[in-house]
Short mmCIF file of all heavy atoms in Angstrom, two decimals:
data_model
loop_
_atom_site.label_atom_id
_atom_site.label_comp_id
_atom_site.label_asym_id
_atom_site.label_seq_id
_atom_site.Cartn_x
_atom_site.Cartn_y
_atom_site.Cartn_z
N MET B 26 -8.75 -36.27 -29.87
CA MET B 26 -8.32 -37.34 -30.77
C MET B 26 -6.97 -37.85 -30.34
O MET B 26 -6.03 -37.08 -30.14
CB MET B 26 -8.27 -36.79 -32.20
CG MET B 26 -8.33 -37.87 -33.27
SD MET B 26 -9.80 -38.87 -33.13
CE MET B 26 -9.09 -40.45 -33.63
N LYS B 27 -6.86 -39.12 -30.12
CA LYS B 27 -5.60 -39.71 -29.68
C LYS B 27 -4.61 -39.80 -30.83
O LYS B 27 -4.91 -40.34 -31.89
CB LYS B 27 -5.88 -41.10 -29.12
CG LYS B 27 -4.63 -41.79 -28.59
CD LYS B 27 -5.02 -43.16 -28.05
CE LYS B 27 -3.79 -43.90 -27.57
NZ LYS B 27 -4.14 -45.25 -27.09
N ALA B 28 -3.42 -39.27 -30.61
CA ALA B 28 -2.39 -39.31 -31.64
C ALA B 28 -1.69 -40.66 -31.64
O ALA B 28 -1.69 -41.37 -30.65
CB ALA B 28 -1.38 -38.20 -31.40
N ALA B 29 -1.11 -40.99 -32.79
CA ALA B 29 -0.35 -42.23 -32.88
C ALA B 29 0.93 -42.09 -32.05
O ALA B 29 1.66 -41.12 -32.20
CB ALA B 29 -0.01 -42.51 -34.34
N PRO B 30 1.20 -43.04 -31.18
CA PRO B 30 2.40 -42.95 -30.35
C PRO B 30 3.65 -43.25 -31.16
O PRO B 30 3.66 -44.10 -32.04
CB PRO B 30 2.16 -44.03 -29.28
CG PRO B 30 1.27 -45.03 -29.95
CD PRO B 30 0.38 -44.23 -30.88
N CYS B 31 4.72 -42.52 -30.86
CA CYS B 31 5.99 -42.75 -31.53
C CYS B 31 6.58 -44.08 -31.07
O CYS B 31 6.68 -44.32 -29.87
CB CYS B 31 6.94 -41.60 -31.22
SG CYS B 31 8.60 -41.86 -31.86
N PRO B 32 6.97 -44.96 -32.03
CA PRO B 32 7.52 -46.26 -31.66
C PRO B 32 8.95 -46.15 -31.12
O PRO B 32 9.48 -47.10 -30.56
CB PRO B 32 7.49 -47.05 -32.97
CG PRO B 32 7.61 -46.01 -34.03
CD PRO B 32 6.88 -44.78 -33.47
N PHE B 33 9.56 -45.00 -31.30
CA PHE B 33 10.95 -44.83 -30.88
C PHE B 33 11.06 -44.27 -29.46
O PHE B 33 11.85 -44.74 -28.65
CB PHE B 33 11.69 -43.91 -31.85
CG PHE B 33 11.63 -44.39 -33.27
CD1 PHE B 33 10.83 -43.73 -34.19
CD2 PHE B 33 12.33 -45.51 -33.67
CE1 PHE B 33 10.76 -44.17 -35.50
CE2 PHE B 33 12.26 -45.96 -34.98
CZ PHE B 33 11.46 -45.29 -35.89
N CYS B 34 10.26 -43.26 -29.17
CA CYS B 34 10.37 -42.63 -27.86
C CYS B 34 9.07 -42.68 -27.07
O CYS B 34 9.04 -42.31 -25.91
CB CYS B 34 10.84 -41.18 -28.03
SG CYS B 34 9.61 -40.11 -28.79
N GLY B 35 7.98 -43.13 -27.73
CA GLY B 35 6.72 -43.26 -27.02
C GLY B 35 5.94 -41.96 -26.89
O GLY B 35 4.89 -41.93 -26.26
N SER B 36 6.46 -40.89 -27.49
CA SER B 36 5.79 -39.60 -27.39
C SER B 36 4.51 -39.56 -28.22
O SER B 36 4.41 -40.21 -29.26
CB SER B 36 6.74 -38.50 -27.86
OG SER B 36 6.06 -37.26 -27.91
N HIS B 37 3.56 -38.79 -27.76
CA HIS B 37 2.33 -38.60 -28.53
C HIS B 37 2.37 -37.26 -29.27
O HIS B 37 1.38 -36.83 -29.83
CB HIS B 37 1.12 -38.66 -27.61
CG HIS B 37 0.76 -40.07 -27.22
ND1 HIS B 37 -0.26 -40.78 -27.80
CD2 HIS B 37 1.35 -40.90 -26.33
CE1 HIS B 37 -0.31 -41.99 -27.26
NE2 HIS B 37 0.65 -42.09 -26.36
N GLU B 38 3.52 -36.61 -29.24
CA GLU B 38 3.67 -35.34 -29.97
C GLU B 38 3.99 -35.66 -31.41
O GLU B 38 5.09 -35.40 -31.91
CB GLU B 38 4.79 -34.50 -29.33
CG GLU B 38 4.48 -34.07 -27.92
CD GLU B 38 3.29 -33.14 -27.85
OE1 GLU B 38 3.12 -32.32 -28.77
OE2 GLU B 38 2.51 -33.24 -26.89
N THR B 39 3.00 -36.22 -32.10
CA THR B 39 3.23 -36.65 -33.47
C THR B 39 2.28 -35.95 -34.42
O THR B 39 1.19 -35.54 -34.03
CB THR B 39 3.04 -38.17 -33.59
OG1 THR B 39 1.74 -38.52 -33.12
CG2 THR B 39 4.09 -38.92 -32.77
N THR B 40 2.71 -35.82 -35.66
CA THR B 40 1.90 -35.15 -36.67
C THR B 40 1.74 -36.06 -37.88
O THR B 40 2.71 -36.62 -38.38
CB THR B 40 2.59 -33.85 -37.13
OG1 THR B 40 2.80 -33.01 -36.00
CG2 THR B 40 1.74 -33.12 -38.15
N CYS B 41 0.50 -36.20 -38.35
CA CYS B 41 0.25 -36.99 -39.54
C CYS B 41 0.72 -36.20 -40.76
O CYS B 41 0.30 -35.07 -40.97
CB CYS B 41 -1.24 -37.29 -39.66
SG CYS B 41 -1.67 -38.28 -41.09
N VAL B 42 1.64 -36.78 -41.53
CA VAL B 42 2.20 -36.06 -42.67
C VAL B 42 1.69 -36.59 -44.00
O VAL B 42 1.74 -35.91 -45.00
CB VAL B 42 3.74 -36.11 -42.64
CG1 VAL B 42 4.26 -35.30 -41.46
CG2 VAL B 42 4.25 -37.53 -42.59
N SER B 43 1.20 -37.81 -44.04
CA SER B 43 0.66 -38.33 -45.29
C SER B 43 -0.16 -39.58 -45.02
O SER B 43 0.01 -40.24 -44.00
CB SER B 43 1.77 -38.65 -46.29
OG SER B 43 2.57 -39.70 -45.82
N ARG B 44 -1.02 -39.87 -45.92
CA ARG B 44 -1.84 -41.08 -45.79
C ARG B 44 -1.76 -41.87 -47.07
O ARG B 44 -1.87 -41.34 -48.16
CB ARG B 44 -3.29 -40.69 -45.48
CG ARG B 44 -4.24 -41.86 -45.62
CD ARG B 44 -5.58 -41.53 -45.04
NE ARG B 44 -5.53 -41.52 -43.58
CZ ARG B 44 -6.63 -41.47 -42.82
NH1 ARG B 44 -7.81 -41.40 -43.37
NH2 ARG B 44 -6.53 -41.47 -41.53
N PHE B 45 -1.57 -43.17 -46.90
CA PHE B 45 -1.47 -44.04 -48.07
C PHE B 45 -2.81 -44.70 -48.33
O PHE B 45 -3.84 -44.15 -47.95
CB PHE B 45 -0.37 -45.07 -47.84
CG PHE B 45 0.97 -44.42 -47.65
CD1 PHE B 45 1.48 -44.21 -46.38
CD2 PHE B 45 1.69 -43.97 -48.75
CE1 PHE B 45 2.71 -43.59 -46.20
CE2 PHE B 45 2.91 -43.34 -48.58
CZ PHE B 45 3.42 -43.15 -47.30
N GLY B 46 -2.79 -45.85 -48.96
CA GLY B 46 -4.03 -46.52 -49.33
C GLY B 46 -4.97 -46.68 -48.16
O GLY B 46 -4.59 -47.20 -47.12
N SER B 47 -6.20 -46.24 -48.34
CA SER B 47 -7.16 -46.30 -47.25
C SER B 47 -7.49 -47.73 -46.87
O SER B 47 -7.86 -48.01 -45.73
CB SER B 47 -8.45 -45.56 -47.64
OG SER B 47 -9.01 -46.13 -48.80
N ALA B 48 -7.31 -48.66 -47.83
CA ALA B 48 -7.61 -50.06 -47.53
C ALA B 48 -6.64 -50.61 -46.49
O ALA B 48 -6.98 -51.48 -45.70
CB ALA B 48 -7.55 -50.89 -48.81
N GLN B 49 -5.43 -50.08 -46.49
CA GLN B 49 -4.42 -50.57 -45.54
C GLN B 49 -4.39 -49.70 -44.28
O GLN B 49 -3.73 -50.04 -43.31
CB GLN B 49 -3.04 -50.56 -46.19
CG GLN B 49 -2.94 -51.55 -47.35
CD GLN B 49 -1.55 -51.56 -47.94
OE1 GLN B 49 -0.86 -50.55 -47.96
NE2 GLN B 49 -1.13 -52.72 -48.41
N LEU B 50 -5.08 -48.58 -44.34
CA LEU B 50 -5.14 -47.70 -43.18
C LEU B 50 -3.75 -47.32 -42.69
O LEU B 50 -3.48 -47.27 -41.50
CB LEU B 50 -5.92 -48.38 -42.05
CG LEU B 50 -7.35 -48.79 -42.43
CD1 LEU B 50 -8.00 -49.51 -41.27
CD2 LEU B 50 -8.17 -47.61 -42.86
N LEU B 51 -2.87 -47.06 -43.63
CA LEU B 51 -1.49 -46.76 -43.28
C LEU B 51 -1.22 -45.26 -43.42
O LEU B 51 -1.47 -44.65 -44.45
CB LEU B 51 -0.56 -47.53 -44.23
CG LEU B 51 0.93 -47.33 -43.98
CD1 LEU B 51 1.32 -47.84 -42.60
CD2 LEU B 51 1.73 -48.07 -45.05
N SER B 52 -0.76 -44.69 -42.35
CA SER B 52 -0.45 -43.27 -42.35
C SER B 52 0.99 -43.06 -41.91
O SER B 52 1.54 -43.82 -41.12
CB SER B 52 -1.37 -42.51 -41.39
OG SER B 52 -2.71 -42.60 -41.81
N GLN B 53 1.60 -42.01 -42.45
CA GLN B 53 2.96 -41.68 -42.03
C GLN B 53 2.91 -40.51 -41.06
O GLN B 53 2.24 -39.51 -41.30
CB GLN B 53 3.81 -41.33 -43.23
CG GLN B 53 5.28 -41.13 -42.85
CD GLN B 53 6.17 -40.94 -44.05
OE1 GLN B 53 5.80 -40.27 -45.01
NE2 GLN B 53 7.34 -41.55 -44.03
N TYR B 54 3.62 -40.67 -39.98
CA TYR B 54 3.63 -39.64 -38.93
C TYR B 54 5.05 -39.13 -38.70
O TYR B 54 6.03 -39.82 -38.98
CB TYR B 54 3.10 -40.21 -37.61
CG TYR B 54 1.59 -40.33 -37.56
CD1 TYR B 54 0.95 -41.39 -38.18
CD2 TYR B 54 0.83 -39.39 -36.89
CE1 TYR B 54 -0.43 -41.53 -38.14
CE2 TYR B 54 -0.55 -39.50 -36.84
CZ TYR B 54 -1.17 -40.57 -37.46
OH TYR B 54 -2.53 -40.70 -37.41
N TYR B 55 5.13 -37.93 -38.19
CA TYR B 55 6.39 -37.33 -37.82
C TYR B 55 6.37 -37.05 -36.32
O TYR B 55 5.44 -36.42 -35.81
CB TYR B 55 6.60 -36.04 -38.60
CG TYR B 55 7.80 -35.23 -38.14
CD1 TYR B 55 9.09 -35.63 -38.47
CD2 TYR B 55 7.62 -34.07 -37.38
CE1 TYR B 55 10.19 -34.89 -38.04
CE2 TYR B 55 8.72 -33.33 -36.96
CZ TYR B 55 10.00 -33.75 -37.30
OH TYR B 55 11.08 -33.01 -36.88
N CYS B 56 7.39 -37.53 -35.63
CA CYS B 56 7.47 -37.30 -34.19
C CYS B 56 8.21 -36.00 -33.92
O CYS B 56 9.36 -35.83 -34.33
CB CYS B 56 8.19 -38.47 -33.51
SG CYS B 56 8.41 -38.21 -31.74
N GLN B 57 7.54 -35.09 -33.25
CA GLN B 57 8.16 -33.80 -32.97
C GLN B 57 9.14 -33.90 -31.80
O GLN B 57 9.95 -33.00 -31.58
CB GLN B 57 7.06 -32.77 -32.63
CG GLN B 57 6.08 -32.60 -33.77
CD GLN B 57 4.95 -31.65 -33.41
OE1 GLN B 57 5.17 -30.60 -32.83
NE2 GLN B 57 3.72 -32.02 -33.75
N ASN B 58 9.04 -34.97 -31.05
CA ASN B 58 9.90 -35.13 -29.88
C ASN B 58 11.30 -35.61 -30.26
O ASN B 58 12.29 -35.08 -29.77
CB ASN B 58 9.25 -36.10 -28.90
CG ASN B 58 10.01 -36.16 -27.59
OD1 ASN B 58 10.28 -35.13 -26.97
ND2 ASN B 58 10.37 -37.35 -27.16
N CYS B 59 11.37 -36.62 -31.14
CA CYS B 59 12.68 -37.18 -31.52
C CYS B 59 12.97 -36.99 -33.00
O CYS B 59 13.94 -37.52 -33.53
CB CYS B 59 12.77 -38.65 -31.13
SG CYS B 59 11.66 -39.75 -32.02
N SER B 60 12.13 -36.20 -33.69
CA SER B 60 12.35 -35.86 -35.09
C SER B 60 12.50 -37.09 -35.98
O SER B 60 13.39 -37.17 -36.81
CB SER B 60 13.58 -34.96 -35.23
OG SER B 60 13.42 -33.79 -34.45
N SER B 61 11.61 -38.05 -35.78
CA SER B 61 11.66 -39.28 -36.58
C SER B 61 10.35 -39.47 -37.32
O SER B 61 9.29 -39.09 -36.84
CB SER B 61 11.92 -40.49 -35.67
OG SER B 61 13.16 -40.39 -35.03
N PHE B 62 10.45 -40.05 -38.50
CA PHE B 62 9.26 -40.41 -39.24
C PHE B 62 8.95 -41.88 -38.98
O PHE B 62 9.85 -42.69 -38.85
CB PHE B 62 9.47 -40.20 -40.74
CG PHE B 62 9.46 -38.75 -41.14
CD1 PHE B 62 10.64 -38.05 -41.23
CD2 PHE B 62 8.26 -38.12 -41.43
CE1 PHE B 62 10.64 -36.70 -41.61
CE2 PHE B 62 8.25 -36.78 -41.80
CZ PHE B 62 9.44 -36.08 -41.89
N PHE B 63 7.67 -42.20 -38.91
CA PHE B 63 7.28 -43.60 -38.75
C PHE B 63 5.93 -43.81 -39.38
O PHE B 63 5.17 -42.86 -39.59
CB PHE B 63 7.28 -44.00 -37.27
CG PHE B 63 6.23 -43.28 -36.44
CD1 PHE B 63 4.99 -43.86 -36.23
CD2 PHE B 63 6.50 -42.04 -35.90
CE1 PHE B 63 4.02 -43.21 -35.47
CE2 PHE B 63 5.54 -41.38 -35.14
CZ PHE B 63 4.31 -41.96 -34.92
N GLU B 64 5.66 -45.06 -39.71
CA GLU B 64 4.37 -45.41 -40.30
C GLU B 64 3.50 -46.05 -39.24
O GLU B 64 3.96 -46.84 -38.42
CB GLU B 64 4.57 -46.37 -41.48
CG GLU B 64 5.27 -45.69 -42.64
CD GLU B 64 5.61 -46.68 -43.73
OE1 GLU B 64 5.58 -47.88 -43.48
OE2 GLU B 64 5.91 -46.21 -44.85
N TYR B 65 2.26 -45.67 -39.26
CA TYR B 65 1.32 -46.18 -38.26
C TYR B 65 0.14 -46.82 -38.95
O TYR B 65 -0.50 -46.20 -39.80
CB TYR B 65 0.85 -45.02 -37.37
CG TYR B 65 -0.14 -45.44 -36.30
CD1 TYR B 65 0.30 -46.14 -35.17
CD2 TYR B 65 -1.48 -45.13 -36.42
CE1 TYR B 65 -0.61 -46.52 -34.19
CE2 TYR B 65 -2.39 -45.51 -35.44
CZ TYR B 65 -1.93 -46.21 -34.33
OH TYR B 65 -2.83 -46.57 -33.37
N VAL B 66 -0.12 -48.07 -38.60
CA VAL B 66 -1.22 -48.80 -39.20
C VAL B 66 -2.38 -48.88 -38.23
O VAL B 66 -2.22 -49.29 -37.09
CB VAL B 66 -0.79 -50.23 -39.58
CG1 VAL B 66 -1.98 -51.00 -40.17
CG2 VAL B 66 0.36 -50.20 -40.59
N ARG B 67 -3.50 -48.42 -38.68
CA ARG B 67 -4.71 -48.49 -37.86
C ARG B 67 -5.60 -49.59 -38.41
O ARG B 67 -6.07 -49.51 -39.53
CB ARG B 67 -5.43 -47.15 -37.89
CG ARG B 67 -6.65 -47.13 -37.01
CD ARG B 67 -7.18 -45.73 -36.90
NE ARG B 67 -6.11 -44.82 -36.49
CZ ARG B 67 -6.29 -43.83 -35.63
NH1 ARG B 67 -7.45 -43.62 -35.14
NH2 ARG B 67 -5.31 -43.06 -35.31
N TRP B 68 -5.77 -50.62 -37.61
CA TRP B 68 -6.53 -51.77 -38.09
C TRP B 68 -8.02 -51.56 -37.97
O TRP B 68 -8.50 -50.81 -37.13
CB TRP B 68 -6.12 -53.02 -37.29
CG TRP B 68 -4.67 -53.32 -37.42
CD1 TRP B 68 -3.69 -53.02 -36.53
CD2 TRP B 68 -4.03 -53.98 -38.52
NE1 TRP B 68 -2.48 -53.45 -37.01
CE2 TRP B 68 -2.65 -54.03 -38.21
CE3 TRP B 68 -4.49 -54.51 -39.72
CZ2 TRP B 68 -1.73 -54.61 -39.09
CZ3 TRP B 68 -3.57 -55.09 -40.58
CH2 TRP B 68 -2.21 -55.14 -40.27
N GLU B 69 -8.72 -52.29 -38.80
CA GLU B 69 -10.18 -52.28 -38.72
C GLU B 69 -10.60 -52.91 -37.39
O GLU B 69 -9.92 -53.77 -36.85
CB GLU B 69 -10.78 -53.09 -39.87
CG GLU B 69 -10.55 -52.47 -41.23
CD GLU B 69 -11.55 -51.36 -41.52
OE1 GLU B 69 -12.40 -51.10 -40.64
OE2 GLU B 69 -11.48 -50.77 -42.60
N GLY B 70 -11.75 -52.50 -36.90
CA GLY B 70 -12.30 -53.14 -35.72
C GLY B 70 -11.81 -52.56 -34.41
O GLY B 70 -12.03 -53.13 -33.36
N GLU B 71 -11.14 -51.42 -34.46
CA GLU B 71 -10.68 -50.80 -33.22
C GLU B 71 -11.68 -49.76 -32.70
O GLU B 71 -11.44 -49.09 -31.73
CB GLU B 71 -9.33 -50.11 -33.44
CG GLU B 71 -8.19 -51.10 -33.59
CD GLU B 71 -6.86 -50.38 -33.59
OE1 GLU B 71 -6.85 -49.14 -33.70
OE2 GLU B 71 -5.82 -51.05 -33.50
N GLY B 72 -12.79 -49.65 -33.41
CA GLY B 72 -13.79 -48.68 -32.99
C GLY B 72 -13.53 -47.30 -33.55
O GLY B 72 -14.11 -46.33 -33.11
N GLU B 73 -12.61 -47.21 -34.52
CA GLU B 73 -12.27 -45.92 -35.10
C GLU B 73 -12.99 -45.68 -36.42
O GLU B 73 -12.88 -44.63 -37.00
CB GLU B 73 -10.76 -45.85 -35.35
CG GLU B 73 -9.94 -46.05 -34.09
CD GLU B 73 -9.92 -44.79 -33.24
OE1 GLU B 73 -10.46 -43.76 -33.69
OE2 GLU B 73 -9.38 -44.86 -32.13
N ARG B 74 -13.69 -46.69 -36.90
CA ARG B 74 -14.28 -46.59 -38.21
C ARG B 74 -15.26 -45.42 -38.30
O ARG B 74 -15.25 -44.67 -39.28
CB ARG B 74 -15.00 -47.90 -38.54
CG ARG B 74 -15.47 -47.96 -39.99
CD ARG B 74 -16.26 -49.23 -40.27
NE ARG B 74 -16.45 -49.39 -41.72
CZ ARG B 74 -15.97 -50.40 -42.42
NH1 ARG B 74 -15.28 -51.34 -41.82
NH2 ARG B 74 -16.18 -50.49 -43.71
N GLN B 75 -16.07 -45.27 -37.29
CA GLN B 75 -17.07 -44.21 -37.33
C GLN B 75 -16.39 -42.84 -37.37
O GLN B 75 -16.83 -41.92 -38.05
CB GLN B 75 -17.96 -44.31 -36.10
CG GLN B 75 -19.13 -43.31 -36.16
CD GLN B 75 -20.10 -43.51 -35.02
OE1 GLN B 75 -19.85 -44.31 -34.13
NE2 GLN B 75 -21.20 -42.80 -35.05
N HIS B 76 -15.29 -42.72 -36.64
CA HIS B 76 -14.58 -41.45 -36.61
C HIS B 76 -14.02 -41.12 -38.00
O HIS B 76 -14.06 -39.99 -38.45
CB HIS B 76 -13.43 -41.51 -35.61
CG HIS B 76 -13.91 -41.51 -34.18
ND1 HIS B 76 -14.50 -40.41 -33.62
CD2 HIS B 76 -13.91 -42.47 -33.24
CE1 HIS B 76 -14.83 -40.72 -32.36
NE2 HIS B 76 -14.49 -41.95 -32.11
N ARG B 77 -13.50 -42.13 -38.67
CA ARG B 77 -12.92 -41.89 -39.99
C ARG B 77 -14.01 -41.48 -40.98
O ARG B 77 -13.81 -40.59 -41.79
CB ARG B 77 -12.21 -43.15 -40.49
CG ARG B 77 -10.86 -43.32 -39.82
CD ARG B 77 -10.04 -44.40 -40.48
NE ARG B 77 -10.54 -45.74 -40.20
CZ ARG B 77 -11.22 -46.49 -41.06
NH1 ARG B 77 -11.48 -46.06 -42.25
NH2 ARG B 77 -11.63 -47.68 -40.71
N GLU B 78 -15.15 -42.14 -40.88
CA GLU B 78 -16.22 -41.82 -41.82
C GLU B 78 -16.74 -40.41 -41.60
O GLU B 78 -17.21 -39.75 -42.51
CB GLU B 78 -17.34 -42.85 -41.67
CG GLU B 78 -16.92 -44.22 -42.20
CD GLU B 78 -18.00 -45.27 -41.98
OE1 GLU B 78 -18.95 -45.00 -41.22
OE2 GLU B 78 -17.89 -46.35 -42.57
N GLU B 79 -16.62 -39.95 -40.38
CA GLU B 79 -17.07 -38.59 -40.06
C GLU B 79 -16.00 -37.56 -40.37
O GLU B 79 -16.24 -36.37 -40.28
CB GLU B 79 -17.44 -38.52 -38.57
CG GLU B 79 -18.69 -39.33 -38.24
CD GLU B 79 -18.95 -39.32 -36.75
OE1 GLU B 79 -18.10 -38.84 -36.00
OE2 GLU B 79 -20.02 -39.81 -36.36
N GLY B 80 -14.83 -38.04 -40.72
CA GLY B 80 -13.76 -37.13 -41.08
C GLY B 80 -12.97 -36.58 -39.90
O GLY B 80 -12.08 -35.77 -40.07
N GLU B 81 -13.27 -37.04 -38.71
CA GLU B 81 -12.57 -36.53 -37.52
C GLU B 81 -11.14 -37.03 -37.46
O GLU B 81 -10.28 -36.44 -36.84
CB GLU B 81 -13.32 -36.94 -36.26
CG GLU B 81 -14.68 -36.27 -36.16
CD GLU B 81 -15.41 -36.72 -34.90
OE1 GLU B 81 -14.84 -37.49 -34.12
OE2 GLU B 81 -16.55 -36.29 -34.73
N ASP B 82 -10.90 -38.15 -38.13
CA ASP B 82 -9.58 -38.75 -38.09
C ASP B 82 -8.83 -38.52 -39.39
O ASP B 82 -7.80 -39.10 -39.65
CB ASP B 82 -9.71 -40.25 -37.82
CG ASP B 82 -8.36 -40.88 -37.54
OD1 ASP B 82 -7.52 -40.25 -36.89
OD2 ASP B 82 -8.16 -42.03 -37.99
N ALA B 83 -9.34 -37.65 -40.24
CA ALA B 83 -8.73 -37.43 -41.54
C ALA B 83 -7.40 -36.71 -41.40
O ALA B 83 -7.25 -35.80 -40.60
CB ALA B 83 -9.67 -36.61 -42.42
N CYS B 84 -6.45 -37.13 -42.19
CA CYS B 84 -5.17 -36.47 -42.22
C CYS B 84 -5.33 -35.12 -42.94
O CYS B 84 -5.83 -35.07 -44.04
CB CYS B 84 -4.14 -37.32 -42.96
SG CYS B 84 -2.54 -36.54 -43.09
N PRO B 85 -4.93 -34.04 -42.33
CA PRO B 85 -5.14 -32.71 -42.94
C PRO B 85 -4.35 -32.52 -44.23
O PRO B 85 -4.70 -31.66 -45.04
CB PRO B 85 -4.68 -31.74 -41.86
CG PRO B 85 -3.76 -32.55 -41.01
CD PRO B 85 -4.29 -33.94 -41.03
N ASN B 86 -3.32 -33.30 -44.44
CA ASN B 86 -2.48 -33.15 -45.62
C ASN B 86 -2.78 -34.20 -46.68
O ASN B 86 -2.11 -34.28 -47.69
CB ASN B 86 -1.00 -33.24 -45.24
CG ASN B 86 -0.61 -32.10 -44.32
OD1 ASN B 86 -1.12 -31.00 -44.44
ND2 ASN B 86 0.27 -32.38 -43.39
N ALA B 87 -3.74 -35.05 -46.46
CA ALA B 87 -4.05 -36.13 -47.39
C ALA B 87 -4.64 -35.55 -48.68
O ALA B 87 -5.35 -34.57 -48.62
CB ALA B 87 -5.04 -37.11 -46.76
ZN1 LIG N 3 9.66 -40.01 -31.05
#
């Protein structure tokens, strides 16, 4: 599963810490590389919908 890239340092060493409204597909991530929090929006139509419905992309802390 591809992690959300950190917008600050570009690292993929990120952890999903919370998920907001599913309609907006907005999740909050924590970058372990630069110790920064950021929000990541996953848009519809990226081919991830099936993964989400299967629970493979579910945030473990949601
Ligand atoms: Zn970072």
Side-chain angles (χ1 to χ4, degrees):
M26 200 58 215
K27 181 180 178 183
C31 174
F33 304 108
C34 69
S36 174
H37 283 259
E38 295 296 324
T39 56
T40 302
C41 180
V42 292
S43 65
R44 168 168 287 191
F45 299 98
S47 59
Q49 295 182 327
L50 303 177
L51 181 63
S52 297
Q53 186 173 40
Y54 282 79
Y55 172 75
C56 177
Q57 300 177 44
N58 188 52
C59 66
S60 302
S61 297
F62 286 94
F63 65 94
E64 292 173 344
Y65 180 75
V66 178
R67 183 170 307 219
W68 300 100
E69 293 279 0
E71 287 188 348
E73 301 283 354
R74 189 184 192 117
Q75 186 174 6
H76 288 292
R77 283 191 287 104
E78 290 177 347
E79 291 176 352
E81 293 179 3
D82 189 37
C84 178
N86 297 326

